[in-house]
C-alpha cells in the first residue's frame, strides 16, 4: 500500500524519507539502463523518476511505439529488479526541453483544439493517452499495490503559472485533470507540480533550485520536491551551466531540516537528445545537465559521491525525521539548529550556517562545531557530525576525451537545390508556415519563387544591388540567388525570429530566389505554445528597383519538404549507394549543403565514445542509420563565465563555462549502436566544414 500524511509518503505502513533521481529512458539506450539504475542505487537513491514521452509513443494517431529507447515497461521492470521505486510522471505535457513539450505534432492539427485548457478535443486526446499508459502499467502489474515499483504518478506538469495567466478555463482544466487521474484508480498517490491549487487528494509539489520555504496546500499533505535542478540545460549559442555539489547538498539538507520528505534530482542522469528530440529553445543535443551521472553514463565527481554521502547521513537520521517536527533554535546571527526528537528517543540535528562569507564555530549541546560558510552539518544522533554539505569528502576526478586511433576516410556529395519543376513540389500564392507543411517530418523546408527583372532597371546600370529583406519566425535560414548562397542567418533562445537583409546580385530576366528554412525543434513551453510559428512568414521585399519596393510575399511560391539526401536516405548504406560520391583530391570541403560519409571499426574497450565535431558548422549526424542528433559547433557560446563560488543563492547564470567555445563540441556515440567493424558514419553539413577534423574519442577518467 502507498498513502501519505503530513510528514511523508507511507509505504506499507512505514513513513519514508525518499531520495529520487530523474533518468529519462529515451535519453539513453536500453543497453545503458541497467548501469545507470545501478549507479543511482549505489548513489543512495530510493526512487527513479521519469516522464512519459507521448510523441515518442504515439507518432501518429492510434499507432503506438514502445520499443528500443521507448520501451517504458522494460525500463520500469529494470528499476524494479534493482529494488528501487518509480515515480511515473505521465503528464502527458512534460516540457523537459523535449520537442513540442512531449506532444505529438499531429495533436496541433486536431480540429478545434487548444492545448492545456478546458478544451474538449484536447481533453479527449489527453485522457485517451493517460488511460492507455495507466492500463499498460496495470496489465504489467507495475503499481505498488499490485506488487510493482510505481509508488506515485504525476498528472500535467508545472501548469500553475499557465493557469494564472489564462484564468477560469485553466482552473476548470486543473480540476478535470485531477479528477480523471484519481478516477483511474491506480492505488497510489497522484501529484501535480507547481500547482498550488491541486485538488484533494492530489499532492502539490515544488520545483526549483531551492524549495525549503515551500508548503503544500493542506496540512495533511507531505512536503515534496519533484525537481531539484542539478544544473541547467545547454542551449546552442549559450555557455554551459554547472551547479556546485556543495550548493546542491546544502539545498537538500535545508529542505529536509524544514520538514521535507521527498527530494528528486532533475536530472540525476541527463543523457542525450538523440535525433530531432531536442526542443525549439535551441536546446543542444547534449542534455548533460551537469547531473551526478554525466551524459555518457559515468559518475561526475565530486558531485555523485558527495550526494551519496549526504544520502547516507539522511538515512541515518530517518527514524527521527519521520516521527517529529523540528524545533528551531538560534545558534548565532546567521546560524540555527533544527532538532528532531521522536517519542521513542531518536534524535537528529541539522546545524546550519547561512552566511556566505564566514565560517563559524557554534556550540550545540555540550560540544563545539565548526560550520563552513553556506553549509549544514548533519548529526544523526544529535552528537556526532557525520556530514557537512560544504566539505567534499568525495574524490574529485576530471573526465577527458582521449582520441581513439580511428582514421576516417571521407567521401562527399553535394545536396542538390530543388527546382520548382520537381515532382513533389507544392505551389501556393503567398507564404506558408513551415510546420503546417512539413508536420515536423524534417527540419528543412524549401521556399522558391521567381523574380522578373526588366532590362531597363536602373540598378543594372548603377551597380547598386537591390536590398532583399526576409522576415522569418525562425530558426535558421539560408538564402540562395540563382543557385548561389547569398547569406545565412539564425536566431537564438532569447529570440528565435530572424531577419535577412542583404544586397543581392540580380540580372535582367528571371531570377530564382530559393530559401531553405531550418527548424531547430518545436517550442516546449509557454502559454499556448502550439500557436507559435516556424518558417518564412514574411514580408519578403526587394528594395531599390524602379518601382522602389516590390513585395514578393503574395506572389507564387513553390514548396519542397526536406532535403534530397533525406528522401534518398543517404544516411543508410543502401540509400547512400543511389548517388555518386567523390573522394581524395575531389573531396568537397568548407562548402555549404554537403553530405559526408565514411566507415570505421569500433575502438576496443568499453569506454563511452564521443565525436569531436569542432571542425564542422551546423547539421545532423547518423551512425549506422541512427540519428545522433543535430550538431552545431559553429554556434559559439556567448555570455559571462566568471569564477564560481559555491556559496550564495544559485541561479543558472552562475558558474557558467565554455564562453567563447562551441556550446557543444562533443557528441555522444552509444556503444550499442556500433558493430565491431564497418560502421557507417554520415554527416550532413549545412554551413560548410572540414570533415578531416572529425575525431572519435573515448571518455575516460583523467
Amino acid at each position: 500500500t502507498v498513502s501519505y500524511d503530513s510528514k511523508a509518503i507511507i509505504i506499507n505502513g512505514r513513513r519514508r524519507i525518499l531520495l529520487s533521481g530523474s533518468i529519462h529512458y529515451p535519453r539513453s539506450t536500453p543497453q545503458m539502463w541497467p548501469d545507470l539504475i545501478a549507479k543511482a542505487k549505489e548513489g543512495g537513491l530510493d526512487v527513479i523518476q521519469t516522464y512519459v514521452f507521448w510523441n515518442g509513443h504515439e507518432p501518429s494517431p492510434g499507432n503506438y511505439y514502445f520499443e528500443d529507447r521507448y520501451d517504458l515497461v522494460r525500463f520500469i521492470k529494470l528499476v524494479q529488479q534493482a529494488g528501487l521505486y518509480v515515480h511515473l510522471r505521465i503528464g502527458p505535457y512534460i516540457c523537459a526541453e523535449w520537442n513540442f513539450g512531449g506532444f505529438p505534432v499531429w495533436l496541433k492539427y486536431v480540429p478545434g483544439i487548444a492545448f492545456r485548457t478546458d478544451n474538449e478535443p484536447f481533453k479527449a486526446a489527453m485522457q485517451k493517452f493517460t488511460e492507455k499508459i495507466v492500463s499498460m502499467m496495470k496489465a504489467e502489474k507495475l503499481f505498488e499495490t499490485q506488487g510493482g515499483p510505481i509508488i506515485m504518478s504525476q498528472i500535467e506538469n508545472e501548469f500553475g503559472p499557465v493557469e494564472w495567466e489564462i484564468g477560469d478555463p485553466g482552473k476548470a482544466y486543473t480540476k478535470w485533470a485531477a479528477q480523471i487521474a484519481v478516477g483511474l484508480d491506480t492505488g497510489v498517490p497522484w501529484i501535480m507540480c507547481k500547482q498550488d491549487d491541486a485538488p484533494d487528494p492530489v499532492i502539490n509539489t515544488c520545483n526549483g533550485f531551492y524549495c525549503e520555504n515551500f508548503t503544500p496546500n493542506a496540512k495533511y499533505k507531505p512536503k515534496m520536491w519533484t525537481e531539484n535542478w542539478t544544473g541547467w540545460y545547454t542551449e546552442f549559442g549559450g555557455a554551459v551551466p554547472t551547479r556546485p555539489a556543495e550548493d546542491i547538498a546544502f539545498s537538500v539538507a535545508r529542505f529536509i531540516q524544514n520538514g521535507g520528505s521527498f527530494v528528486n534530482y532533475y536530472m540525476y542522469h541527463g543523457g542525450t537528445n538523440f535525433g530531432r528530440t531536442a526542443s525549439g529553445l535551441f536546446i543542444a543535443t547534449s542534455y548533460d545537465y551537469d547531473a551526478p551521472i554525466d551524459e555518457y553514463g559515468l559518475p561526475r565527481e565530486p558531485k555523485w559521491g558527495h550526494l551519496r554521502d549526504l544520502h547516507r547521513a539522511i538515512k541515518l537520521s530517518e527514524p527521527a525525521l519521520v516521527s517529529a517536527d523540528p524545533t528551531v533554535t538560534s545558534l548565532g546571527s546567521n546560524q540555527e539548529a533544527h532538532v528532531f526528537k521522536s517519542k521513542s528517543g531518536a534524535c537528529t540535528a541539522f546545524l546550519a550556517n547561512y552566511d556566505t562569507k564566514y565560517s563559524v564555530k557554534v556550540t550545540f549541546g555540550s560540544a563545539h562545531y565548526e560550520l563552513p560558510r553556506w553549509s549544514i552539518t548533519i548529526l544523526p544522533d544529535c552528537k556526532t557530525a557525520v556530514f557537512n554539505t560544504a566539505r567534499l569528502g568525495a574524490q574529485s576526478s576530471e573526465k577527458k576525451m582521449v582520441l581513439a586511433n580511428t582514421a576516417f576516410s571521407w567521401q562527399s556529395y553535394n545536396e542538390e537545390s530543388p527546382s520548382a519543376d520537381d515532382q513533389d513540389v507544392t505551389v501556393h500564392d503567398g507564404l506558408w508556415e513551415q510546420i503546417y507543411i512539413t508536420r515536423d517530418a524534417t527540419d528543412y523546408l524549401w521556399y522558391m519563387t521567381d523574380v522578373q527583372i526588366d532590362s531597363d532597371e536602373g540598378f543594372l546600370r548603377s551597380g547598386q544591388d537591390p536590398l532583399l529583406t526576409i522576415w522569418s519566425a525562425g530558426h535558421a535560414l539560408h538564402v540562395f540567388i540563382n543557385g548561389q548562397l547569398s547569406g545565412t542567418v539564425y536566431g537564438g533562445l532569447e529570440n528565435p525570429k530572424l531577419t535577412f537583409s542583404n544586397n543581392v546580385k540580380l540580372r535582367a530576366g528571371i531570377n530564382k530566389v530559393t530559401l531553405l528554412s531550418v527548424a531547430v525543434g518545436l517550442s516546449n513551453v509557454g502559454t499556448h505554445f502550439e500557436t507559435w510559428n516556424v518558417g518564412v512568414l514574411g514580408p519578403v521585399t526587394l528594395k531599390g528597383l524602379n518601382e522602389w519596393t516590390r513585395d514578393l510575399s503574395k506572389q507564387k511560391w513553390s514548396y519542397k519538404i526536406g532535403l534530397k539526401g533525406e528522401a534518398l536516405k543517404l544516411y543508410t548504406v543502401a540509400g547512400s549507394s543511389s548517388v555518386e560520391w567523390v573522394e581524395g583530391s575531389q573531396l568537397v570541403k568548407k562548402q555549404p549543403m554537403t553530405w559526408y560519409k565514411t566507415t570505421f571499426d569500433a575502438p576496443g574497450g568499453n569506454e563511452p565514445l564521443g565525436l569531436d565535431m569542432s571542425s564542422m558548422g551546423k547539421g545532423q549526424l547518423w551512425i549506422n542509420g541512427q540519428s545522433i542528433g543535430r550538431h552545431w559547433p559553429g554556434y559559439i557560446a556567448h555570455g559571462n563565465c566568471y569564477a564560481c563560488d559555491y556559496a550564495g543563492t544559485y541561479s543558472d547564470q552562475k558558474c557558467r563555462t565554455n564562453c567563447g567555445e562551441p556550446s557543444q563540441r562533443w557528441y555522444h556515440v552509444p556503444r550499442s549502436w556500433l558493430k565491431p567493424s564497418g560502421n557507417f558514419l554520415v554527416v550532413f553539413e549545412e554551413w560548410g566544414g572540414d570533415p578531416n577534423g572529425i575525431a572519435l574519442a573515448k571518455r575516460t577518467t583523467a
Side-chain angles (χ1 to χ4, degrees):
T1 60
V2 186
S3 59
Y4 63 82
D5 64 13
S6 63
K7 288 298 296 173
I9 295 286
I10 300 167
I11 304 175
N12 296 324
R14 192 176 141 219
R15 285 183 186 149
R16 297 289 303 271
I17 301 287
L18 293 170
L19 303 164
S20 172
S22 291
I23 300 176
H24 293 162
Y25 52 96
R27 284 179 155 142
S28 52
T29 62
Q31 292 74 15
M32 291 169 70
W33 293 345
D35 188 58
L36 293 172
I37 294 162
K39 285 189 170 84
K41 184 176 186 177
E42 206 187 322
L45 298 191
D46 309 292
V47 183
I48 302 298
Q49 177 170 298
T50 183
Y51 283 127
V52 176
F53 295 77
W54 187 359
N55 52 12
H57 292 306
E58 197 178 358
S60 61
N63 291 319
Y64 294 102
Y65 182 78
F66 288 95
E67 286 158 52
D68 193 39
R69 297 202 321 275
Y70 291 94
D71 193 341
L72 174 59
V73 168
R74 178 178 172 188
F75 180 74
I76 293 175
K77 286 183 171 172
L78 284 168
V79 176
Q80 182 177 23
Q81 281 161 25
L84 299 179
Y85 295 119
V86 171
H87 175 200
L88 191 66
R89 305 174 86 189
I90 299 173
Y93 168 69
I94 60 170
C95 188
E97 290 75 60
W98 188 261
N99 194 42
F100 217 34
F103 288 137
V105 173
W106 56 259
L107 194 66
K108 173 176 170 151
Y109 298 100
V110 170
I113 204 159
F115 287 7
R116 304 178 75 205
T117 186
D118 192 12
N119 170 275
E120 293 310 318
F122 177 75
K123 292 193 299 186
M126 170 170 163
Q127 182 163 0
K128 186 179 172 200
F129 181 73
T130 305
E131 286 173 350
K132 165 91 184 166
I133 296 299
V134 167
S135 60
M136 270 182 86
M137 298 302 111
K138 284 182 175 175
E140 297 285 344
K141 300 202 170 3
L142 292 175
F143 288 105
E144 200 281 338
T145 43
Q146 303 174 288
I150 302 171
I151 54 167
M152 65 184 98
S153 295
Q154 178 180 305
I155 193 77
E156 245 298 333
N157 186 58
E158 297 190 334
F159 183 65
V162 177
E163 179 189 301
W164 187 85
E165 222 168 294
I166 65 175
D168 288 343
K171 291 194 172 83
Y173 168 67
T174 296
K175 251 189 204 149
W176 169 84
Q179 259 167 346
I180 66 144
V182 172
L184 288 170
D185 212 18
T186 59
V188 302
W190 284 90
I191 67 123
M192 284 176 139
C193 61
K194 277 199 188 175
Q195 188 75 55
D196 294 340
D197 61 351
D200 285 0
V202 178
I203 306 165
N204 64 308
T205 66
C206 186
N207 293 351
F209 291 116
Y210 305 95
C211 278
E212 69 274 1
N213 295 324
F214 167 79
T215 46
N217 64 16
K219 286 197 164 44
Y220 42 83
K221 294 179 184 177
K223 176 167 168 161
M224 296 174 61
W225 189 359
T226 31
E227 293 186 17
N228 181 350
W229 301 323
T230 53
W232 200 243
Y233 55 80
T234 299
E235 69 193 75
F236 285 124
V240 178
T242 64
R243 186 179 180 195
E246 299 95 323
D247 182 65
I248 301 178
F250 177 73
S251 73
V252 173
R254 203 168 176 179
F255 182 72
I256 300 287
Q257 75 174 10
N258 281 10
S261 59
F262 176 98
V263 181
N264 175 75
Y265 298 100
Y266 187 104
M267 300 293 296
Y268 196 76
H269 168 256
T272 309
N273 294 317
F274 295 113
R276 299 170 51 254
T277 59
S279 81
L281 289 174
F282 287 75
I283 299 298
T285 299
S286 168
Y287 199 66
D288 180 85
Y289 224 86
D290 201 36
I293 301 175
D294 73 14
E295 175 179 6
Y296 296 82
L298 302 175
R300 171 173 275 113
E301 298 291 13
K303 192 175 272 191
W304 182 86
H306 190 52
L307 294 176
R308 174 202 57 205
D309 298 344
L310 164 71
H311 303 151
R312 282 184 187 147
I314 290 170
K315 289 296 180 192
L316 288 170
S317 312
E318 189 179 44
L321 293 172
V322 296
S323 41
D325 290 325
T327 308
V328 186
T329 52
S330 170
L331 299 175
S333 60
N334 228 344
Q335 296 77 35
E336 57 187 19
H338 289 68
V339 181
F340 296 78
K341 276 188 179 159
S342 75
K343 291 193 177 74
S344 60
C347 183
T348 284
F350 286 63
L351 310 183
N353 177 14
Y354 307 122
D355 200 301
T356 57
K357 291 201 174 75
Y358 302 107
S359 60
V360 178
K361 191 171 258 188
V362 299
T363 305
F364 174 75
S366 52
H368 302 292
Y369 300 88
E370 183 78 32
L371 303 181
R373 63 202 179 101
W374 196 253
S375 80
I376 294 173
T377 291
I378 302 177
L379 288 57
D381 60 357
C382 284
K383 292 192 202 81
T384 318
V386 300
F387 182 84
N388 174 273
T389 59
R391 288 196 188 106
L392 296 174
Q395 292 304 109
S396 189
S397 68
E398 281 301 303
K399 300 283 186 291
K400 62 176 182 178
M401 304 304 277
V402 178
L403 290 184
N405 300 325
T406 310
F408 294 133
S409 175
W410 292 97
Q411 299 181 20
S412 66
Y413 165 77
N414 287 30
E415 170 70 22
E416 290 172 30
S417 288
S419 97
D421 310 324
D422 288 358
Q423 289 173 344
D424 44 3
V425 162
T426 310
V427 180
H428 177 67
D429 288 332
L431 294 163
W432 256 334
E433 195 272 339
Q434 182 164 337
I435 307 306
Y436 175 71
I437 306 185
T438 65
R439 299 297 159 112
D440 197 36
T442 167
D443 281 356
Y444 302 101
L445 178 65
W446 297 92
Y447 292 69
M448 296 167 277
T449 196
D450 288 346
V451 174
Q452 175 73 42
I453 296 295
D454 294 337
S455 54
D456 65 349
E457 280 289 353
F459 79 83
L460 293 171
R461 287 184 302 281
S462 71
Q464 183 58 54
D465 294 334
L467 179 72
L468 177 65
T469 304
I470 303 163
W471 281 270
S472 165
H475 300 131
L477 182 70
H478 306 283
V479 179
F480 300 86
I481 308 291
N482 296 322
Q484 292 300 306
L485 181 66
S486 179
T488 291
V489 281
Y490 51 97
L493 172 66
E494 296 307 322
N495 187 12
K497 294 185 167 66
L498 46 98
T499 306
F500 172 89
S501 200
N502 273 15
N503 295 89
V504 293
K505 290 244 173 287
L506 299 175
R507 58 194 180 212
I510 289 177
N511 293 264
K512 302 272 180 203
V513 175
T514 304
L515 314 177
L516 179 61
S517 179
V518 189
V520 190
L522 304 184
S523 23
N524 62 298
V525 66
T527 302
H528 289 305
F529 64 86
E530 76 274 16
T531 61
W532 298 5
N533 294 321
V534 181
V536 181
L537 300 181
V540 177
T541 60
L542 203 53
K543 209 176 206 171
L545 307 178
N546 291 355
E547 70 208 67
W548 189 228
T549 300
R550 186 185 301 180
D551 187 354
L552 309 181
S553 318
K554 302 277 188 293
Q555 64 183 47
K556 200 178 267 356
W557 287 84
S558 303
Y559 296 87
K560 185 174 163 70
I561 297 170
L563 306 171
K564 183 181 180 187
E566 288 179 300
L568 294 173
K569 291 196 164 63
L570 294 186
Y571 48 84
T572 64
V573 173
S576 74
S577 60
S578 62
V579 299
E580 292 296 317
W581 299 74
V582 298
E583 58 189 322
S585 60
Q586 291 179 292
L587 183 78
V588 174
K589 290 184 208 167
K590 307 223 157 134
Q591 286 295 312
M593 310 302 291
T594 308
W595 292 83
Y596 295 101
K597 71 169 185 175
T598 188
T599 54
F600 67 96
D601 297 341
N606 59 359
E607 304 93 332
L609 301 171
L611 274 175
D612 181 354
M613 295 295 290
S614 54
S615 67
M616 306 304 281
K618 177 184 187 299
Q620 296 183 31
L621 57 155
W622 294 262
I623 285 204
N624 294 330
Q626 298 220 60
S627 173
I628 284 180
R630 301 181 181 103
H631 69 271
W632 202 348
Y635 211 150
I636 301 301
H638 54 74
N640 297 312
C641 294
Y642 300 121
C644 175
D645 179 9
Y646 79 85
T649 305
Y650 178 81
S651 85
D652 61 283
Q653 295 305 309
K654 198 177 158 180
C655 302
R656 297 196 141 217
T657 59
N658 252 47
C659 292
E661 306 280 324
S663 294
Q664 186 177 349
R665 172 182 172 181
W666 295 96
Y667 294 79
H668 176 211
V669 177
R671 277 272 181 186
S672 60
W673 290 9
L674 298 183
K675 308 175 289 192
S677 62
N679 294 289
F680 187 58
L681 169 61
V682 173
V683 177
F684 172 64
E685 176 55 50
E686 280 174 44
W687 286 11
D690 182 354
N692 293 321
I694 297 175
L696 188 65
K698 299 177 174 185
R699 188 162 175 84
T700 55
T701 302

